[in-house]
């Protein structure tokens, strides 16, 4: 069954406008929305880039049925996956059953700001796989320690968890990323209406929603 979603562009609209647009999208009958998670707009002329997790809290209070997710968050460089796990859990408690966590390998435009080197895709995909594992482990609600190749977590526990954990959808712009999404995620976020991505996702055993943005 096809559902039509709405794109909340954080690069083009301020926080208050994004909240208003989400409410209007719900009123217009859209079933879901994705909101971008950027530190910078794509170009200066766009002129906006509010902190997505604050905006999501406001959207949660302004809407009742609209499913909303990040499209997408990069949990590897700019934001540690343990922090993403906590932020997403909180968003899911504010929007029970209607928040999804969209994740991807990111792009240098937003992730270079802390001065961390920007690795090639194969390294970033390995980082993403470990990050997804960290997030899911923390969502178990137990005290967690993780000493991996890319990330360390020491005696961390997320106390505020939703009754139902949000699904994780992974973004893909090519066949390798689509196969990664099939292996790690609960759904696929495509960068456009590309049948080859959907075929690659399904061919690798992927199940669940396929969202375009």
């Amino acid at each position: 069954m096809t559902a039509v979603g709405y794109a909340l562009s954080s690069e083009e609209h301020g926080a208050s406008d994004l909240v208003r647009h989400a409410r209007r999208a719900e009123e217009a009958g859209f079933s879901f929305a994705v909101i971008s998670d950027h530190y910078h707009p794509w170009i200066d002329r766009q002129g906006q880039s509010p902190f997505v997790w604050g905006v999501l809290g406001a959207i949660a209070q302004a809407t009742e049925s609209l499913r909303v997710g990040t499209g997408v968050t990069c949990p590897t460089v700019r934001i540690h996956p343990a922090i993403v796990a906590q932020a997403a859990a909180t968003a899911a408690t504010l929007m029970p059953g209607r928040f999804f966590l969209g994740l991807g390998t990111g792009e240098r435009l937003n992730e270079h700001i802390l001065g961390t080197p920007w690795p090639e895709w194969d390294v970033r995909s390995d980082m993403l796989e470990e990050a997804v594992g960290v997030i899911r482990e923390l969502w178990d609600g137990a005290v967690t320690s993780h000493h991996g190749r890319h990330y360390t977590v020491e005696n961390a526990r997320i106390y505020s968890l939703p009754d139902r954990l949000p699904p994780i959808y992974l973004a893909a712009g090519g066949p390798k990323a689509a196969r990664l999404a099939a292996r790690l995620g609960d759904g696929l976020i495509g960068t456009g209406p590309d049948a080859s991505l959907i075929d690659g996702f399904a061919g690798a055993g992927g199940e669940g929603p396929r969202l375009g943005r």
Side-chain angles (χ1 to χ4, degrees), residues 8 18-19 22 35 54-63 66 68 95 98:
L8 296 165
L18 290 167
V19 175
I35 183 167
V55 178
L56 282 166
I59 288 175
Q61 300 305 301
T63 59
L66 187 70
V68 184
M95 289 184 276
R98 58 188 186 97

Side-chain angles (χ1 to χ4, degrees), residues 128-150:
L128 179 61
E129 180 169 356
E130 185 175 339
V132 171
V134 168
I135 291 168
R136 292 196 188 278
E137 189 173 3
L138 283 164
W139 280 356
D140 284 340
V143 176
T144 298
S145 290
H146 173 89
H147 301 277
R149 184 175 180 181
H150 302 289

Side-chain angles (χ1 to χ4, degrees), residues 85-133:
Q86 184 188 30
T90 297
T93 63
L94 292 170
M95 289 184 276
R98 58 188 186 97
F99 173 76
F100 57 89
L101 177 60
L103 299 177
T105 56
E107 72 293 310
R108 189 181 180 279
L109 171 70
N110 296 297
E111 307 305 320
H112 79 280
I113 62 166
L114 302 180
T116 305
W118 186 240
E120 60 187 16
W121 187 86
D122 286 344
V123 176
R124 288 186 283 124
S125 68
D126 188 55
M127 295 172 72
L128 179 61
E129 180 169 356
E130 185 175 339
V132 171

Side-chain angles (χ1 to χ4, degrees), residues 70-103:
T70 52
V72 294
T73 290
C74 177
T76 61
V77 177
R78 173 170 52 99
I79 309 177
H80 192 283
I83 305 303
V84 173
Q86 184 188 30
T90 297
T93 63
L94 292 170
M95 289 184 276
R98 58 188 186 97
F99 173 76
F100 57 89
L101 177 60
L103 299 177

Side-chain angles (χ1 to χ4, degrees), residues 12 18 22 26 29-30 50 72 98 104-105 115 121 127 137 154 162 164 172-173 176 178 184 200-201 203 209:
E12 298 177 281
L18 290 167
E26 180 178 84
F30 288 95
V72 294
R98 58 188 186 97
T105 56
W121 187 86
M127 295 172 72
E137 189 173 3
E154 292 187 352
R164 187 170 72 182
K176 290 194 294 185
L184 300 179
F201 177 76

